[in-house]
Amino acid sequence: MRRVALLGVGALFATALAVPAATADAAPAADCAAADAAIYRPPASVTAAPGTVLACRRVDALPLVGDVPLTAWKVQYASTDGRGKAVAVSGTVVVPRAAWTGPGERPLVAFAPGTLGIGPQCAFSKQLAGEYQDAYEGGNIAALLRAGYAVAATDGAGYLDGQVHPYVSGADAGHALLDIARAAPGVPGSGLSAAARVGLWGYSEGGAGSLWAAQLARSYAPGLSVVGVASGGVPGDLKVVAKSLNGGAFAGFLLDAVIGMATTHPEMPFDELLDEEGRTAVRDAKMLCLVGTLARFAGGRTENYTRDGLTLDQIFAVRGPDGRTWGQIVDKNKLGTGVGPAGSGARHEIGFPVLQYRGLLDEVIPAETEEATRQAYCAARIPTQWNTYPGDHLLADFQAVDDVVKWLGDRFAGRPMPGNC
C-alpha cells in the first residue's frame, strides 16, 4: 500500500530536471518592458492599491505549459501580507491567442500552485518560463487555456529577491491570489476586463491558498466577480498535518511550514529553539525546491532539530513576548472556521459554490483534515461539491484536471450547483 501511494511522487523524483535560473518601482507599470530581474526586485516601498501592476514583461514561451498558443507576461503586483502591510508579489498572466467566443468577457482563473519549495529559483513564474524545473502543474494551466480561459497564476508572496516564502500562511496566500486576479486586467495588451467572471483554483498548498482566497474575497476584494473556487488536497488543519508529516517521507513540507510561520511571526521564539543541525536544515531548506526538499529532509523530526529535543506539542506550547503560543498562531490558519454563506454575518462569508476534492490514497495530507474542512463548509450551508479520486496526493491533482475545468466552466456559465453535502 505504501509503495503504491508513493508512485506519483516517485515519478516526480525520476523525471525532475534542475535547470539554472535564467529594479521594481512601486508605481504602477506603464508598459511591459521591464527587465526580467526587475520582476523579482522588491521595491523600497509599495504605495499602490492592491492589485496594481508594478512591473511586467512579455514572455516568449512557457515550456511547462506546452504548445498551446498563448500570450504571457511575468508580473510584479501590489498585494497585502497577512499582517496588513503592503507588499509586492510576482506571478504570471496568460491569455489564449484564440478569440473568446463565449458570452460576455473572457473568464479568468486565478491559480495558486501546489508546493514548489521555498528557494528563490522555485517561483512558479520562473518554472513556467523554463528557468528551473521541478514544478508539475503545467498541464493544469494548459487545460484552462484550451477551454478559452485566461489564467493569472501567482507565485505567492516571498519569492522576490532576499525574501522567504511564507509557506501555508493563509492570509498571505489568499491575498496574493485575489490580487493577481485584480492585477491581470491591468497588464497592457492582455485584453482582459475587470468585470470578468473569476474562478479560483489550487491544489495542496494551492488548495489551502485558493480556499483562503474564497474565505477572504468578500471582505478583501469585494469588487471581484468570483463565481466559484476549486480546492484539492487541502491541508485544512496544520496541526493535524504537522503530526502526520513529522518523521515521515514528506517531513520537508513540515520544515517549510515551520520556516513560513517563523517568517510571518518574527517576534516569536524560533532560532533560539534550534540546535546546530536545525539551523543547517533551515539554511538548506531556503535554497531548495520540491524534489530537493523531499530528498534532503525525508525522515526528519522536530526532536532532531531542536536544542531540547522538542516535540511538536512542546513547540506548540512555546509562548512569544505577547503571551501567544505557537499553537494559537498555527490555529489561526485553520480553514473552515467562521465561514458562512453570503448575508449570514459570518466572519468569512462565501457567496459562491465550492468544489473540494482529494485522492483516496493521499499519503501527504491526512484524510481526517480534508474531510473535516468539507464537513465544516457543509455545516455552514455553503454549496459544496465533494469529489474523490483513486490516486495518491500527486496523481489526484492530475486526475481531477478535466473535472475541475468543466466545473469552473459551469460556474462561468451560471449553471446551478446544488452540491452533495
Side-chain angles (χ1 to χ4, degrees), residues 2-414:
R2 179 69 174 171
R3 184 169 178 268
V4 172
L6 287 169
L7 283 176
V9 174
L12 183 61
F13 270 88
T15 59
L17 174 64
V19 180
T23 311
D25 191 342
D31 54 40
C32 280
D36 190 73
I39 300 298
Y40 304 103
R41 185 180 303 128
S45 63
V46 177
T47 57
T52 301
V53 177
L54 303 177
C56 55
R57 69 175 275 111
R58 282 283 296 270
V59 180
D60 293 333
L62 298 179
L64 191 65
V65 175
D67 59 358
V68 183
L70 55 84
T71 305
W73 299 263
K74 285 186 177 183
V75 297
Q76 183 189 104
Y77 60 96
S79 189
T80 310
D81 71 12
R83 293 191 157 189
K85 178 186 175 183
V87 294
V89 178
S90 54
T92 308
V93 173
V94 195
V95 180
R97 289 187 185 170
W100 171 248
T101 58
E105 304 289 347
R106 185 192 298 272
L108 172 70
V109 177
F111 185 83
T115 298
L116 297 173
I118 60 178
Q121 75 277 20
C122 313
F124 195 47
S125 59
K126 294 179 179 180
Q127 300 212 41
L128 284 173
E131 296 160 33
Y132 187 91
Q133 188 56 65
D134 71 6
Y136 49 91
E137 293 182 302
N140 303 45
I141 307 298
L144 292 168
L145 297 173
R146 291 191 186 99
Y149 311 137
V151 179
T154 184
D155 290 343
Y159 283 108
L160 303 189
D161 297 342
Q163 298 179 348
V164 178
H165 177 51
Y167 185 68
V168 298
S169 172
D172 287 89
H175 292 164
L177 188 59
L178 293 167
D179 284 328
I180 199 168
R182 293 199 272 201
V187 174
S190 71
L192 300 174
S193 170
R197 293 153 291 173
V198 175
L200 309 172
W201 185 14
Y203 185 84
S204 193
E205 180 192 1
S210 58
L211 211 52
W212 267 108
Q215 293 189 172
L216 296 170
R218 189 174 182 86
S219 60
Y220 180 73
L224 279 179
S225 180
V226 181
V227 297
V229 58
S231 302
V234 177
D237 186 331
L238 296 182
K239 283 184 176 177
V240 172
V241 178
K243 290 178 180 180
S244 175
L245 295 177
N246 197 30
F250 305 96
F253 296 156
L254 174 57
L255 181 58
D256 280 355
V258 169
I259 294 170
M261 291 290 108
T263 298
T264 56
H265 294 82
E267 76 285 0
M268 290 293 291
F270 179 61
D271 189 67
E272 58 265 45
L273 302 180
L274 302 175
D275 60 14
E276 191 54 42
E277 184 177 353
R279 292 189 183 94
T280 299
V282 168
R283 286 195 297 270
D284 289 352
K286 290 181 178 179
M287 296 187 294
L288 295 170
C289 293
L290 172 61
V291 172
T293 299
L294 292 177
R296 166 70 172 82
F297 301 110
R301 301 188 65 86
T302 61
E303 294 88 336
N304 298 332
Y305 297 142
T306 51
R307 290 176 56 187
D308 300 314
L310 298 178
T311 66
L312 275 170
D313 285 336
Q314 288 172 323
I315 293 172
F316 292 148
V318 171
R319 293 188 181 276
D322 64 357
R324 285 186 305 166
T325 66
W326 269 121
Q328 289 171 319
I329 289 170
V330 172
D331 281 340
K332 284 186 64 177
N333 291 277
K334 184 177 180 179
L335 283 157
T337 62
V339 297
S344 64
R347 183 167 76 254
H348 301 305
E349 292 188 6
I350 302 176
F352 43 82
V354 173
L355 169 64
Q356 295 184 39
Y357 57 99
R358 64 178 295 266
L360 293 174
L361 298 178
D362 195 325
E363 77 285 37
V364 179
I365 308 300
E368 64 181 284
T369 184
E370 296 188 82
E371 293 277 0
T373 303
R374 174 248 187 147
Q375 290 166 6
Y377 272 63
C378 288
R381 295 178 290 109
I382 298 168
T384 301
Q385 175 71 33
W386 175 251
N387 289 354
T388 58
Y389 295 90
D392 67 358
H393 187 71
L394 182 63
L395 292 177
D397 190 4
F398 305 149
Q399 291 167 339
V401 169
D402 290 344
D403 288 343
V404 172
V405 173
K406 181 181 184 304
W407 187 89
L408 288 169
D410 287 342
R411 307 290 75 75
F412 292 140

